[in-house]
């Protein structure tokens, strides 16, 4: 604890009983890893998908502010007594530690929802023992207009100790799995500034080498051939948007096994091809 830090207003830590603890994340349920630890790298959410609710300011203006904040060019100022709900895209499914840096905002409430995709909500099923929630229908997993995000939620109550020079930073204790997140901010008597929104962190001197090592290479020859190499990234699926005026043959290339496998023919427009989830995989589309 920092010298002189006043924690007199803090509540005492609450012990969780056996029945209150979620077994998948409880210490007594954890087991030794059978796979190597994941590499950590600094990253940013790539874009603001939409503004679901904004009680102050137009959605177009807020979209611009959030996108500028994601690129480190500005801050998001949320006035007192307002609510904002914004949804961000990480670009792909990943495991990470979202970081949220804020200043001010005493007693503000922040809720962060983590989700794999957008799904169409379904009405509850009526059973003899009561209502039973049904999972959303997964069609176009990027369709934020028709679909909604569903998933676990973190809640954080702002203490007001953060400043623009030394922000108050929230990071979950355990990593989260997500492709999209929804951030809901409800302010009280004091406005809140969101200064940064990142995923994980690493020393600056490591960023360039990690970026080169884990970069994705993409290229194309007109509308005839499209190629994407995933390097060390172990993806189970990706999303492509091909031209509509051609049909394409899709091949998965494994550089280690030196194999090429045709997985689709006659496709165009938006596709979501499955990948083997290992290193050294490339995807190629060839016009038919």
């Amino acid at each position: 604890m920092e010298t002189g830090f006043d924690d007199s207003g803090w509540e005492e830590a609450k012990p969780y009983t056996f029945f209150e603890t979620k077994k998948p994340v409880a210490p007594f349920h954890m087991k030794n890893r059978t796979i190597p630890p994941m590499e950590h790298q600094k990253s940013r959410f790539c874009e603001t998908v939409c503004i679901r609710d904004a009680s102050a300011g137009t959605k177009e203006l807020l979209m611009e502010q959030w996108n500028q904040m994601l690129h480190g060019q500005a801050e998001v100022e949320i006035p007192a007594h307002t609510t904002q709900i914004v949804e961000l895209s990480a670009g792909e499914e990943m495991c990470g530690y979202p970081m949220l840096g804020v200043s001010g905002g005493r007693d503000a409430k922040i809720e962060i929802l983590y989700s794999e995709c957008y799904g169409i909500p379904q009405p509850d099923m009526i059973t003899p023992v009561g209502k039973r929630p049904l999972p959303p229908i997964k069609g176009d997993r990027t369709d934020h207009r028709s679909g909604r995000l569903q998933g676990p939620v973190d809640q954080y109550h702002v203490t007001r100790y953060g400043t623009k020079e030394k922000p108050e930073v929230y990071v979950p204790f355990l990593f989260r799995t997500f492709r999209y997140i929804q951030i809901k901010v409800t302010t009280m008597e004091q406005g809140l500034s969101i200064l940064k929104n990142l995923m994980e962190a690493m020393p600056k001197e490591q960023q360039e080498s990690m970026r080169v090592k884990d970069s994705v290479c993409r290229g194309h020859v007109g509308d005839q051939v499209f190629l994407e190499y995933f390097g060390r990234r172990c993806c189970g699926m990706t999303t492509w948007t091909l031209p509509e005026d051609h049909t394409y043959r899709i091949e998965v290339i494994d550089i280690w096994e030196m194999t090429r496998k045709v997985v689709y023919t006659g496709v165009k427009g938006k596709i979501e091809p499955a990948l083997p989830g290992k290193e050294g995989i490339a995807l190629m589309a060839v016009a038919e």
Side-chain angles (χ1 to χ4, degrees), residues 87-273:
E87 294 173 359
L88 309 178
S89 170
E92 60 189 348
E93 183 85 350
M94 65 175 60
C95 296
Y97 296 86
M99 301 171 61
L100 191 65
V102 303
S103 68
R106 179 174 183 173
D107 296 328
K109 181 180 179 182
I110 300 176
E111 298 178 71
I112 306 177
L113 180 149
Y114 308 94
S115 185
E116 170 208 1
C117 65
Y118 286 93
I120 300 176
Q122 300 300 298
D124 292 341
M125 176 186 292
I126 306 300
T127 70
V129 295
K131 293 183 179 180
R132 175 186 173 189
L134 293 176
I137 294 177
K138 297 179 181 179
D140 182 349
R141 301 185 179 207
T142 64
D143 183 6
H144 66 276
R145 293 178 176 83
S146 302
R148 293 295 182 267
L149 299 179
Q150 294 188 15
V153 178
D154 288 341
Q155 293 186 359
Y156 181 69
H157 293 267
V158 180
T159 64
R160 88 175 188 284
Y161 294 106
T163 64
K164 295 188 177 182
E165 294 74 26
K166 192 172 184 180
E168 177 180 341
V169 178
Y170 169 75
V171 183
F173 178 70
L174 297 174
F175 71 82
R176 302 292 186 249
T177 302
F178 53 90
R179 181 177 179 182
Y180 299 98
I181 69 168
Q182 181 189 89
I183 301 177
K184 178 180 180 181
V185 180
T186 304
T187 56
M188 300 301 176
E189 299 294 332
Q190 184 183 26
L192 176 77
S193 296
I194 298 182
L195 308 178
K196 62 180 179 179
N197 190 239
L198 306 172
M199 293 174 284
E200 193 37 56
M202 61 160 51
K204 289 185 177 180
E205 59 271 16
Q206 297 181 16
Q207 293 177 20
E208 289 302 320
S209 62
M210 185 66 75
R211 186 177 295 112
V212 172
K213 181 170 61 175
D214 287 348
S215 63
V216 173
C217 300
R218 300 180 180 90
H220 66 97
V221 180
D223 288 345
Q224 300 302 307
V225 179
F226 294 85
L227 180 68
E228 182 170 1
Y229 175 59
F230 297 92
R232 300 192 63 186
R233 304 171 82 171
C234 302
C235 301
M237 186 193 71
T238 190
T239 301
W240 271 16
T241 301
L242 298 169
E244 295 281 357
D245 54 353
H246 290 79
T247 60
Y248 292 85
R249 179 182 74 252
I250 308 299
E251 298 184 23
V252 173
I253 303 172
D254 188 326
I255 67 168
W256 296 111
E257 301 293 337
M258 293 186 291
T259 60
R260 293 172 58 173
K261 180 181 179 182
V262 177
V263 293
Y264 295 106
T265 58
V267 298
K268 61 182 179 179
K270 190 170 185 178
I271 62 171
E272 293 187 340

Side-chain angles (χ1 to χ4, degrees), residues 6-56:
D6 181 15
D7 64 345
S8 59
W10 286 31
E11 297 181 1
E12 293 294 327
K14 176 186 179 303
Y16 281 84
T17 67
F18 176 86
F19 299 102
E20 293 176 309
T21 306
K22 296 180 179 179
K23 291 185 178 180
V25 297
F28 57 78
H29 191 71
M30 294 183 179
K31 300 179 181 179
N32 291 329
R33 291 178 62 94
T34 57
I35 59 175
M38 294 179 290
E39 293 183 351
H40 290 182
Q41 70 179 77
K42 182 178 179 179
S43 183
R44 291 183 182 272
F45 287 89
C46 61
E47 64 175 342
T48 305
V49 178
C50 67
I51 305 293
R52 287 291 178 198
D53 184 31
S55 52

Side-chain angles (χ1 to χ4, degrees), residues 56 62 65 75-79 84 103 164 191-195:
L62 293 175
Q65 290 178 355
E75 304 166 3
V76 174
E77 301 286 348
I78 304 178
Q84 280 190 26
S103 68
K164 295 188 177 182
L192 176 77
S193 296
I194 298 182
L195 308 178

